[in-house]
Amino acid sequence: MGTRYSAVFYVPPAADLPRLRRELQAAVDAVDAQMSTWKPDSHLMRFNRAPAHTWFPVPRQLATVLAAAIDIGRQSDGAFDIGVGDLVSAWGFGSGSQPHRNDDMAAVRARASEPAHLCLELDAGQRHVRKRAEITLDLSGIAKGFGVDELAGVLVQHGIAHFLVSIDGELRASGGKADGSPWRVAVERPDVGQRAAQGVIELTDGAVATSGDYRHFVDIAGIRYAHTMDPRRRMPLADGPAAVTVLAETCMAADAWATALLVLGPAASSEIVSTYGLEALFIERPPGPAATTTQYPMSKED
């Protein structure tokens, strides 16, 4: 998926580390082979090329991710939509994409499109999926989180209870460090071209993911367009929060909801966070040097 993964964990002396390393690599390789937009022969890209109204067989992992993406798309009322692959490419954010061109962007934006949760039909039992109209899927907002969960699953199968695994900044933790302290994860300050911490989250069991506008964006006439698409306007986000960090039970959920809440913004996200048992920290960039934060659910001190 054009990025890297890491795994930090504590094991007994007799652990078979070469085998564990192979299984961790195999777990992310499987996700990459099925869901990457960087590989023309991935299952996802082959489904994108398949004709509409035709059932297409998919592996178990891809079926799991598609089911979750459809659910979160519905729950977020389309703020999370995996059917924006054409927009991602037109704006030059996709793998192998050319720099954005105004005529491409206008044509794609004008094209009638249903959100993926309305356009896709999934037979989870048979692991078949079909599209009711032409649509290009992009799983960049959920596949990495699922990959993190797969890494965690490998470690759990080996009886490892203390670990921190990540793919490109999406993380899942279990237990804590050898000295009994929790894992400490920095929330990055949303500054372009700099690396600094806005704050630190302590994790023992759970997952965290962040979406923002400060790493991948394009500047047009002084307006910053983030790589995250707003499916409702069929445009990249240009007026959303600088970043949102989401804590959830699984990294797949945290990853997808971070994208959805970035699109929705803090005011519209309050009820969703409560309904689906999430925690979210928004960082907004008002005029001036300082960023402001909004946290859901609010602590007593807040």
Side-chain angles (χ1 to χ4, degrees), residues 5-64:
Y5 77 93
S6 69
V8 181
F9 47 90
Y10 295 93
V11 294
D16 186 346
L17 288 178
R19 177 186 172 190
L20 190 52
R21 186 178 292 109
R22 289 193 301 271
E23 292 184 11
L24 289 169
Q25 185 68 53
V28 291
D29 283 347
V31 175
D32 195 41
Q34 294 179 31
M35 306 177 207
S36 178
T37 59
W38 295 73
K39 285 181 165 54
D41 61 343
S42 71
H43 288 81
L44 175 70
M45 297 301 283
R46 286 191 279 130
F47 175 66
N48 281 339
R49 294 191 297 269
H53 309 293
T54 301
W55 287 107
F56 186 88
V58 293
R60 174 188 60 82
Q61 294 97 325
L62 180 52
T64 298

Side-chain angles (χ1 to χ4, degrees), residues 79-222:
F80 180 75
D81 184 6
I82 59 173
V84 293
D86 55 348
L87 286 170
V88 172
S89 295
W91 280 82
F93 292 119
S95 59
S97 294
Q98 300 298 314
H100 65 275
R101 293 176 18 179
N102 290 338
D103 53 347
D104 291 343
M105 293 185 296
V108 170
R109 187 182 182 194
R111 190 181 305 155
S113 176
E114 277 191 313
H117 69 274
L118 296 178
C119 189
L120 294 179
E121 186 177 356
L122 177 66
D123 184 335
Q126 296 297 319
R127 296 206 297 266
H128 283 70
V129 63
R130 67 179 172 183
K131 45 195 173 186
R132 290 194 286 267
E134 293 299 333
I135 189 172
T136 303
L137 304 185
D138 187 317
L139 298 178
S140 298
I142 191 170
K144 293 174 186 174
F146 176 77
V148 172
D149 292 333
E150 292 289 276
L151 290 172
V154 170
L155 297 178
V156 169
Q157 288 172 5
H158 281 262
I160 297 170
H162 301 274
F163 59 78
L164 181 68
V165 290
S166 71
I167 298 179
D168 196 28
E170 324 293 14
L171 303 102
R172 181 164 171 174
S174 177
K177 297 182 180 180
D179 61 4
S181 64
W183 299 102
R184 291 171 57 83
V185 176
V187 176
E188 193 171 29
R189 185 180 300 162
D191 294 336
V192 177
Q194 299 183 28
R195 295 284 186 177
Q198 179 83 18
V200 175
I201 295 172
E202 293 187 340
L203 283 179
T204 52
D205 292 285
V208 60
T210 296
S211 289
D213 69 356
Y214 53 95
R215 286 288 168 258
H216 304 292
F217 62 90
V218 61
D219 189 290
I220 302 177

